[in-house]
Amino acid sequence: MAMRQTPLTCSGHTRPVVDLAFSGITAYGYFLISACKDGKPMLRQGDTGDWIGTFLGHKGAVWGATLNADATKAATAAADFTAKVWDAVSGDEVLTLAHKHIVKTVSFTQDSACLLTGGNDKLLRMYDLNSPEAAPQEMAGHSSAIKKALWCNSDRQILSASEDKTVRLWDRSSMEEVKTLTFDTSVSSMEYVADGEIVVITYGKTIGFYNALSLELIKTVEAPAPINSASLHPDKDFIVAGGEDFKLYKFDYSTKEELESYKGHFGPVHCVRFSPDGELYASGSEDGTLRLWQTAVGKTYGLWKCVLPERKFGVNADSIAIFHVLCTVHKLLRQHNTLLLCSTPKLE
């Protein structure tokens, strides 16, 4: 008997959740940030979904959000023509970077010294966070809005995906375009996997895997429905993807076989990402919620508690199930009384 996937639902947002990102693994665990059209990005404990705080200051929809590796800084991109940098420990706004149009994407370098932005003005901008008063370096070439921009190759190169149906690779030192991939339809998402230099690109029903240094195609996986986002497991065992049919799909990376599919959201899935330890994946949806899903269903991890039937009491495991999974779903009091990192009045 197959064990049932029981996701944890993270409430709090009031509009569609359009982007999410995990930090690296720190001494305090790992963390999750979400971008939402309600203009209030939220920080959560990554393995449980427990709410930590809300970054207050944007005056429009937030389209992109990210954390640096040690979860000490956050960055957000918004429709109020700004990108903001935050102290993720105190919740304070550190820096506001004015743009000429809607900002869609933000990305830190590995040392957190530089921030990359992109958006509807079609330009990539690199800000030196140690000299915030200095004008950013700019790279032009896209003919439509930039949806995602990421550092790659130890921050020596940049990947950008645009509504002009292209993904472009740029050299940071020369600020020149190195190579361009052109698709028949608009790219819906892009993920960079540093271990292996792989870039995951979704377009239509296709999940494409490319070498991040050469943009040579490695393989493609076809999904049953249009896909908005996909993520590769840190060990490269699995792929998870979500899209327009409200479902989450899990595929075997080697064989491309569909292993699981679940409908937990009540709207299209806009974003999905594996946690840095690979034990779960998070999804954000048009329904305004984040959900956390187990990679290995039935394993004791985070708030999921697994109880094995005891044969010594005469329980027939084959007749009732191999495992009976007891999942402790959200504890609202715990969420709102435990502020793991942020404690300033600015955090809700």
Side-chain angles (χ1 to χ4, degrees):
M1 179 178 176
M3 288 176 287
R4 182 185 177 191
Q5 175 76 261
T6 308
L8 303 178
T9 302
C10 306
S11 303
H13 284 302
T14 58
R15 300 218 36 220
V17 178
V18 292
D19 193 27
L20 58 85
F22 285 101
S23 71
I25 298 174
T26 76
Y28 304 97
Y30 60 88
F31 301 89
L32 171 64
I33 191 171
S34 54
C36 181
K37 290 184 181 180
D38 63 11
K40 298 177 180 180
M42 291 187 176
L43 183 68
R44 299 177 186 272
Q45 188 74 28
D47 60 342
T48 64
D50 286 348
W51 175 86
I52 294 172
T54 301
F55 298 101
L56 300 176
H58 279 298
K59 297 178 181 178
V62 175
W63 287 100
T66 191
L67 293 166
N68 64 349
D70 62 4
T72 57
K73 290 182 180 179
T76 50
D80 60 8
F81 292 19
T82 70
K84 290 182 184 287
V85 178
W86 311 81
D87 184 321
V89 178
S90 68
D92 293 329
E93 181 181 316
V94 175
L95 188 62
T96 295
L97 303 169
H99 289 63
K100 295 180 181 179
H101 213 308
I102 293 169
V103 190
K104 287 289 185 72
T105 179
V106 281
S107 179
F108 286 111
T109 49
Q110 293 177 15
D111 60 6
S112 307
C114 188
L115 186 72
L116 175 67
T117 70
N120 286 15
D121 62 3
K122 312 170 192 175
L123 294 175
L124 291 167
R125 289 184 173 87
M126 295 182 291
Y127 291 88
D128 183 350
L129 298 182
N130 294 320
S131 301
E133 70 286 348
Q137 294 178 290
E138 296 181 350
M139 289 181 288
H142 281 294
S143 59
S144 192
I146 296 170
K147 301 175 75 171
K148 196 74 174 180
L150 301 165
W151 298 99
C152 68
N153 188 15
S154 301
D155 298 335
R156 291 191 293 270
Q157 292 181 311
I158 292 167
L159 288 160
S160 59
S162 168
E163 291 179 3
D164 63 13
K165 302 179 183 179
T166 68
V167 168
R168 304 185 189 216
L169 181 66
W170 309 78
D171 181 78
R172 180 182 182 179
S173 58
S174 68
M175 299 182 66
E176 296 292 330
E177 186 179 318
V178 177
K179 190 170 181 178
T180 300
L181 289 177
T182 302
F183 299 89
D184 293 332
T185 186
S186 182
V187 171
S188 52
S189 75
M190 183 172 66
E191 178 189 54
Y192 170 64
V193 182
D195 182 11
E197 296 290 351
I198 297 171
V199 58
V200 184
I201 300 170
T202 61
Y203 53 98
K205 296 181 180 180
T206 303
I207 307 166
F209 300 86
Y210 296 80
N211 182 290
L213 305 181
S214 64
L215 291 189
E216 294 297 323
L217 179 65
I218 299 170
K219 68 171 71 178
T220 60
V221 175
E222 295 299 319
I227 295 299
N228 293 328
S229 182
S231 185
L232 178 62
H233 190 275
D235 294 334
K236 303 175 189 64
D237 297 327
F238 310 110
I239 314 150
V240 291
E244 292 300 304
D245 63 352
F246 304 8
K247 285 187 176 182
L248 270 295
Y249 292 92
K250 182 180 176 183
F251 300 93
D252 184 288
Y253 179 66
S254 298
T255 67
K256 306 182 186 180
E257 177 188 1
E258 182 185 320
L259 302 175
E260 301 167 356
S261 65
Y262 301 104
K263 183 179 283 188
H265 285 290
F266 298 97
V269 178
H270 292 309
C271 45
V272 58
R273 286 291 178 267
F274 270 111
S275 62
D277 62 2
E279 292 288 351
L280 61 80
Y281 48 99
S283 59
S285 169
E286 183 76 15
D287 65 15
T289 68
L290 285 163
R291 293 175 194 254
L292 304 183
W293 310 76
Q294 280 190 289
T295 303
V297 180
K299 184 176 182 179
T300 293
Y301 182 83
L303 296 182
W304 289 282
K305 305 299 178 185
C306 180
V307 179
L308 279 68
E310 292 290 339
R311 291 182 181 272
K312 64 183 181 180
F313 292 112
V315 179
N316 186 335
D318 293 328
S319 65
I320 63 170
I322 298 172
F323 296 106
H324 177 55
V325 181
L326 299 176
C327 179
T328 307
V329 192
H330 266 357
K331 300 179 179 179
L332 294 177
L333 290 176
R334 179 182 175 187
Q335 289 182 11
H336 291 281
N337 291 336
T338 305
L339 299 183
L340 298 176
L341 287 179
C342 304
S343 59
T344 68
K346 289 187 178 182
L347 297 174
E348 295 182 341

